[in-house]
Every structure is written in C-alpha cells, then in structure tokens.
Amino acid sequence: MPPSRFRPGLSRPNAPPGEVAWFAFHGDELLVRAVGGNDRFDVPIAADLADLGLRVVRAQPLGELDGRSCRSAELAPGSPAPAGHAYVSLRRLHGRIDPELFDLAGTAYQVQHWDRAHQYCAACGAELETGLDERVKRCARCASSYFPRITPATIVLVEDGPRILMTRQARFPAGMYGLVAGFVEPGETLEGCVAREVHEETGVDIGDIAYFGSQPWPFPHQIMVGFTARYAGGELRVDTRELEDARWFHRDALPTLPPPLSIARKLIDAWLARPAR
C-alpha cells in the first residue's frame, strides 16, 4: 500500500497564502468544484472561504495534504454554492474525486460533526474550549473532556459452501441485499457482537469468526469492522423488526450488491475471488 499523502495535525503549517484545501460541509453535503469534463470534482482552494462569498460557522484544522494546509468547515445554513461549485453527498462523490480527498472528506465530516455537537459541557453547561495539543474539547469549569465520538459496528459475511447469507433492509434500493451488521454493545467483544447479531437477525449460528478488515464510515461517526464466518447450524428466520428479508444466495445467482465503497462489497468481492468450494 503506498504511503498516505496526508499528515494529520492540529497546528496550521506555514503554507503559502491561498493554499488551504477546504472540506466545507453544508448540512451533510461537501462543497466541491467541477474539474475536467467527466463529472469529476476537487475541493476548493482558498485562503478564506469568505473569498468565495461563504460564511463559515466554525472550522477545525485537519493537517497537511501534499504539503498544503487542510481544514474542515461548517457552512452557514442557506449558503448558496459559488459559481463553478456544488454541494454533493459523500456517497455520490465516491469514484468521482481523488481517493485521498474522499478519505479526507470522511475525516473532515466526522471532525465538523463533533465540533458542532460539542459546544457546551454536558456536565455543567459551560462553554467548551478546543484543545491545542490533541483533538478534544475541554471544560475549564469542571474538567470534563469530549473526544470525537467513534461508534464501532461489525459486519460479517457468513458462508456455507457456495452460498452466503444476505439481508435486506427496507431503506435499501430496490433489489439490493447486504450483509448482517450491527453496533457493538457495552462490555461486548467484536466477535461476540458478530455472533449475536447474526443469531438475533436470522436465527443462524456461526463459527470460525475471522477478522477481515475495517473501514471508517462517516455517516456520521461509525467504524465498520468486517469479519468472515461459517454457517454452524440453525434454521433461517427473519427478525422483521430489523430486516425486510434474509436469504441464502448462491455465488452464481447473487442479487444487486452494495456499492463498491462499502466494506460489505469488499467482503463479497473477496469471497467471489476465491475458488468455489
């Protein structure tokens, strides 16, 4: 894997004037500028977003990308996109922006979400101060600290020979199925979460749980931890409180799959790349 071009940091580097890459959000959408003629995008570069006629509610440093200062920003509600720019959701940006910028946009979204949500202390109500040495909000009155919230969730590909267990939620696009996923509960291991979620949602028991990989999922602040597992017994029954449907699908007859940006798709593609058993 090539080294990342991004260097996280809180202090603003000595970049030339006008060399700030802005990851500015209007609600849940990122401000981008069109480049080229193939529906490609970049982020705006400006010393100050006021130069583009935009009002920033609050901003946070992110670090450096290719030696250029990067900052996240929350834009004032109702701010129109400047000429040549547009507001685009992160999901729609996948594959249409430099992959390093896409990853950094996810980081920026989580940072600005945390910044917006932590203005006052939940313990005593005092205004919070931003830490200078680490990403934290601190209360000078009662010494409470508020770090960015990261919510762990697991997702698992359950295989049984040439078939895998797939699930569908009502909010999915027509015909699309995904994998069993769920949030980790207090006191629970990641593997325990995997087994519990599969049994609760489908009635299936699993074994041979193995780590696959992880993915930041900034919608708004999850990290998805992927696993593989093997069917170990149990009859399929669908928890209709959580799912619309759950089925076993043969590798030669899969439904519409999750989008390529998701770890669910990476799990499925890796399984398909292995020889059929």
Side-chain angles (χ1 to χ4, degrees):
M1 179 181 294
S4 173
R5 293 147 45 202
F6 175 64
R7 293 174 52 195
L10 299 182
S11 60
R12 185 169 179 173
N14 296 320
E19 288 294 292
V20 177
W22 288 95
F23 294 81
F25 287 87
H26 184 255
D28 292 335
E29 297 183 316
L30 181 69
L31 177 69
V32 292
R33 58 188 179 91
V35 293
N38 296 317
D39 201 24
R40 300 286 299 179
F41 297 99
D42 201 345
V43 295
I45 308 297
D48 196 310
L49 287 178
D51 298 340
L52 299 177
L54 296 167
R55 184 169 68 87
V56 174
V57 177
R58 54 185 63 91
Q60 286 283 336
L62 297 173
E64 291 181 59
L65 178 66
D66 298 331
R68 175 179 287 149
S69 176
C70 302
R71 294 177 69 82
S72 68
E74 177 190 347
L75 298 177
S79 299
H85 295 69
Y87 295 124
V88 182
S89 71
L90 292 183
R91 294 177 191 269
R92 288 183 55 217
L93 275 178
H94 186 259
R96 302 162 73 186
I97 195 170
D98 181 298
E100 196 94 19
L101 292 181
F102 180 82
D103 291 344
L104 188 48
T107 299
Y109 182 76
Q110 293 183 74
V111 168
Q112 66 92 33
H113 185 276
W114 160 78
D115 192 15
R116 181 176 68 252
H118 293 85
Q119 293 295 303
Y120 297 94
C121 179
C124 71
E127 189 169 355
L128 296 175
E129 300 174 353
T130 301
L132 299 177
D133 55 342
E134 58 182 334
R135 186 84 65 191
V136 64
K137 296 287 189 80
R138 292 193 174 96
C139 178
R141 181 188 296 171
C142 72
S144 295
S145 295
Y146 300 88
F147 293 89
R149 178 182 176 188
I150 307 296
T151 304
T154 64
I155 185 166
V156 58
L157 182 142
V158 179
E159 62 179 298
D160 180 32
R163 62 179 189 164
I164 57 173
L165 180 62
M166 302 190 72
T167 61
R168 173 173 172 78
Q169 297 183 16
R171 61 180 176 82
F172 285 1
M176 193 187 90
Y177 280 69
L179 303 177
V180 175
F183 292 105
V184 180
E185 294 187 351
E188 190 172 49
T189 65
L190 296 173
E191 293 82 358
C193 176
V194 169
R196 174 183 56 78
E197 287 288 347
V198 171
H199 187 77
E200 286 180 354
E201 294 189 2
T202 69
V204 166
D205 296 319
I206 57 174
D208 297 332
I209 300 171
Y211 175 73
F212 173 83
S214 63
Q215 177 185 42
W217 195 248
F219 304 107
H221 43 60
Q222 286 86 11
I223 181 166
M224 300 295 296
V225 186
F227 291 85
T228 60
R230 294 190 183 280
Y231 171 69
E235 293 296 323
L236 181 62
R237 55 167 176 74
V238 181
D239 180 358
T240 54
R241 297 169 300 175
E242 295 283 340
L243 302 173
E244 187 176 84
D245 191 22
R247 302 182 191 180
W248 290 101
F249 286 93
H250 192 278
R251 63 188 296 127
D252 296 330
L254 294 176
T256 301
L257 300 179
L261 82 160
S262 66
I263 193 170
R265 180 62 172 270
K266 293 177 174 62
L267 278 158
I268 295 168
D269 287 346
W271 176 72
L272 288 172
R274 300 203 310 262
R277 297 181 180 181

